[in-house]
Amino acid sequence: MDGVHDIPGKRPRSPEDEGMEDAPPTKRSSSHSPPEPSLYSPMPPYNATNNAGDDSDNDPYYQSRTRSRSRTQSPSRSISHHSRSLSPSTPPPSKPTELHYKQTLILRGHKKAVSAVKFSPNGRWIASASADATIKIWDASTGALTYTLEGHLAGINTISWSPDSTILASGSDDKSIRLWDMTTGQAHPVPFIGHHNYVFSIAFSPKGNMLVSGSYDEAIFLWDVRAARVMRSLPAHSDPVGGVDFVRDGTLIVSCANDGLIRVWDTATGQCLRTLVHEDNAPVTSVRFSPNGKYILAWTLDSCIRLWNYVDGKGRCVKTYQGHVNTKYSLAGCFGVYGSPPLQQYAFVASGSEDNSIVVWDVSSKNVLQRLEGHTGVVMGVDTHPNEQAIVSGGLDRTVRVWRYREDAVETVTAHLAAS
Amino acid sequence: MNLALVDPFVLAQDCPEVLTGRLPGSGHSTAIRFSHHGDLLASGRVDGIISIFDIETNGVARKLRGHTRQVQSLSWSATDRYLLSASQDWKCVLWDLKDGSRLRIVRMEAPIFIAELHPKNHMLFVAAVFEDQPVLVDISSEVPVKRTLPTAPKRSQIERDNATEKQAAQDAKQTTTVTVFTPSGEHILAGTNKGWLNIIDTATRQLQYSTRLTNYLIILLRLTPSGRDLLVNSTDRIVRTLHLPDLTDPKLDFENLRLEVEHKFQDLVQKLSWNHVSFSPTGEYVTASTWMNHHIYVWERGQGSLVKILEGPKEELSVVEWHPHRPFVAAVGVDSGRIYLWSILQPQRWSALAPDFAEVEENVEYIEREDEFDIQPLEELHKRRLDQEDEEVDVLTVEPVKDSVDGEEGGGGVKEFTMPILLNVEESDSEDEVVAVGAGQFRRRSPGVGKEWMNDEENGPVASGDEVTRNGTGAAVNGTGTRKRKAG
């Protein structure tokens, strides 16, 4: 893999692009070489003006199609915010009550809103998908642009890494799913064709042999990755499917839809094993298994994220995380860990918000540990690094931002402008 | 992780019930074997190609090309990374599934009945060959070291003293037809053409024990994962099961050991003979495919009774294999070479489709809760509910998975092997007998096409020096049809 230094032919290289970043695009070693001054211009602290333009919210394409839920909600219901109950229970003394993530990188380059960001499982790369129909692969430590993957005909909603980090899959509004070879930066010649409408969410199985996809056409397909064929179609929902995920051993799939249902499926038989529904019936836009697979985290358009225990009884909601704004977009988030592992390891939930921030909650106490401010638009996607204390986020302000845990107060923000 | 949610009644079933499908794909399969984890199935074919099927996707995960004749037996290493195949081209090949390469090629002096990898050392295997002594082959170096194993049964001192010349000559003429390792790898069980069962020590290669089970040839020996139950198929149309003592026990006295046959399974009415036999994962059931018959017989060992006859396709079945931990059986059709699968059908539980559904046997009168329709202020309700969410949740700790199969070796620090996902397997999957040449027009594929690799043997490590000449003659015999040679 290290020998691959050729630039994929698809990548547009305008002359000024060449001038901007001569060597780094293919620089993939994680050596922390000092950044070249021309490359990384120091940026003022993060609420600086973003001259790239903040008009993403007015982007007609994005508004109308990409992941904005058309389901009309009575405003009264969605606004009826349950007053946040920050229980004053004091956490155990050793447990940190706040986190100190600081912005370290701003990655610019996408021409439209960023819809999803993901660290690769080996922690080496960041993939960001955008409504501009491209995926960009960045070096996770330096922020250098490695690849720009072009091939989709419409905006991309979702991306998923294969477990060995060699393949990236992407689902798009052009109804197809594509695989990208990370060793070459080339697209796999056979796209996955089968969905009748926008592909909203995809997830690789833990072995990488299967891919599950949820679509606006209300169907969930289970794909044989090797043969690029539909193995099984799950008669899932009666509304667009918002999110899908595999459990850690691959035996279960969870899906959610605008009809407010969360369903758990048996991968081997394709049968529904459990249905979770909250009585408000708010559209569920995104769903994830916990790292140990015992809980399901679900985002709903009533500005709540709920943690479900799906095993006990008929399944019950054990935690509700509030404090972010989510009434319109399909926001995504993730689990992360803090504390000093392995003795003191605690879990947090991080999510984007429509108030341009990223909110981090403690899983058990539901307290907000930190709000990461910096984005100038809705934060669509958040992901945590598999083994470092880092968070990546992307949003409607077209930027991808990397946040790292820093105890010291020194804020060193480097912005990286790629192929603008 | 799905076990907590699956219907317990379904989980309680441990015997497959109905034909649920067949593996797709081309080729006439002759030998199949499940991997130890049960996610892969190796299938050796008439044309010498081995397909590795992914049981989860029902698709081909990898193809291994290297044999020129029908594949006779397959054996997985403990990590499922290596696969040993024996073929009628007199060769055994050890494959590395990480890249599909041929790690070792061992040429035998005769056709091979069965070759089995040592359960703990994938660089050691035992093979039973046609009309010759069985061999223990050490392939840790490039040049294989073959050591012959004894066949002539071990007689007691009295028998040896009274032995006539005729008996000695008969003993010397015996050949071993099947060899298997015990799960510990310390012993080899061997069956002979005169119905003797021999127990051979792997380290010393000395016969420890012999007993005569039948007067007929022993076709196959199978062991349960525990190694304490033995299944014997022989040409006298009786399937026998035996309890074995713990052979690893150092205090075991082979001199006074007596093995008793536990059950004899046979069909007295039709006098069916059995093609192939296998144990269920726990050894609770015994399955056998029958000669000139379409059924798979399933006996249960507690009572020794026939519990089920699996109806199948309309053809005779040869190899029948049981999944290592699920009620799931695969068998190969003799005529078509297709791989059929039997399993349990799970009905959809309607109660899973909505949280307030419940499956009831009879009508239940609904009893209203006292406060069910009370009107309460919404805000308060929400607040109360949120306050109730005060339990500690652990989303990180992974509970160790209890797996009946991996339980013994699990936690041994062996890094689990997962085969890389190949995206272009199916492109090469055009070995179907019939190829389309135009709209609605088909013709049979010419026999030599797609076998060009046979002619450039130098790609793989070659074991013996006579490889090249032998290969030349083999190709001449094989090449009955048009043969395309690779240019250059």
Side-chain angles (χ1 to χ4, degrees), chain A residues 283-297:
Chain A
V284 191
T285 56
S286 185
V287 75
R288 266 191 110 123
F289 275 106
S290 70
N292 64 1
K294 285 183 174 171
Y295 298 91
I296 289 169
L297 191 65

Side-chain angles (χ1 to χ4, degrees), chain A residues 209 249 271 275 314 319-320, chain B residues 1 54 346 352 357 389 391:
Chain A
N209 57 350
D249 71 350
Q271 287 180 350
T275 301
K314 285 274 188 181
K319 298 283 170 188
T320 305
Chain B
M1 304 226 45
D54 185 332
Q346 292 185 26
F357 282 9
E389 299 173 350
E391 64 183 289

Side-chain angles (χ1 to χ4, degrees), chain B residues 154 187 199 208-210 245-259:
Chain B
K154 185 185 172 94
H187 294 88
I199 301 178
Q208 298 276 44
Y209 176 73
S210 294
D246 185 3
L247 296 176
T248 55
D249 185 357
K251 292 196 281 291
L252 181 69
D253 179 15
F254 280 104
E255 290 295 325
N256 298 319
L257 178 65
R258 272 188 65 77
L259 292 182

Side-chain angles (χ1 to χ4, degrees), chain B residues 427-461:
Chain B
E427 286 169 24
S428 60
D429 189 30
S430 54
E431 291 103 359
D432 283 318
E433 301 298 308
V434 182
V435 285
V437 292
Q441 286 185 300
F442 299 92
R443 67 167 169 81
R444 271 188 81 82
R445 176 178 289 270
S446 41
V449 173
K451 293 188 180 176
E452 291 85 356
W453 49 267
M454 283 182 194
N455 298 330
D456 45 13
E457 276 290 313
E458 58 269 27
N459 290 344

Side-chain angles (χ1 to χ4, degrees), chain A residues 31 54 103 106 164 205 212 228 241 259 288 349:
Chain A
S31 61
D54 295 333
Q103 182 166 313
I106 304 174
D164 58 359
S205 74
V212 64
V241 177
D259 55 10
R288 266 191 110 123
V349 168

Side-chain angles (χ1 to χ4, degrees), chain A residues 226-273:
Chain A
R226 298 184 184 94
R229 71 183 164 88
V230 178
M231 264 167 59
R232 178 165 281 134
S233 137
L234 303 176
H237 295 279
S238 52
D239 264 319
V241 177
V244 287
D245 195 18
F246 263 105
V247 78
R248 53 178 293 280
D249 71 350
T251 54
L252 295 174
I253 291 169
V254 64
S255 69
C256 66
N258 279 10
D259 55 10
L261 302 181
I262 302 163
R263 289 204 153 131
V264 182
W265 306 83
D266 188 289
T267 311
T269 62
Q271 287 180 350
C272 180
L273 295 177

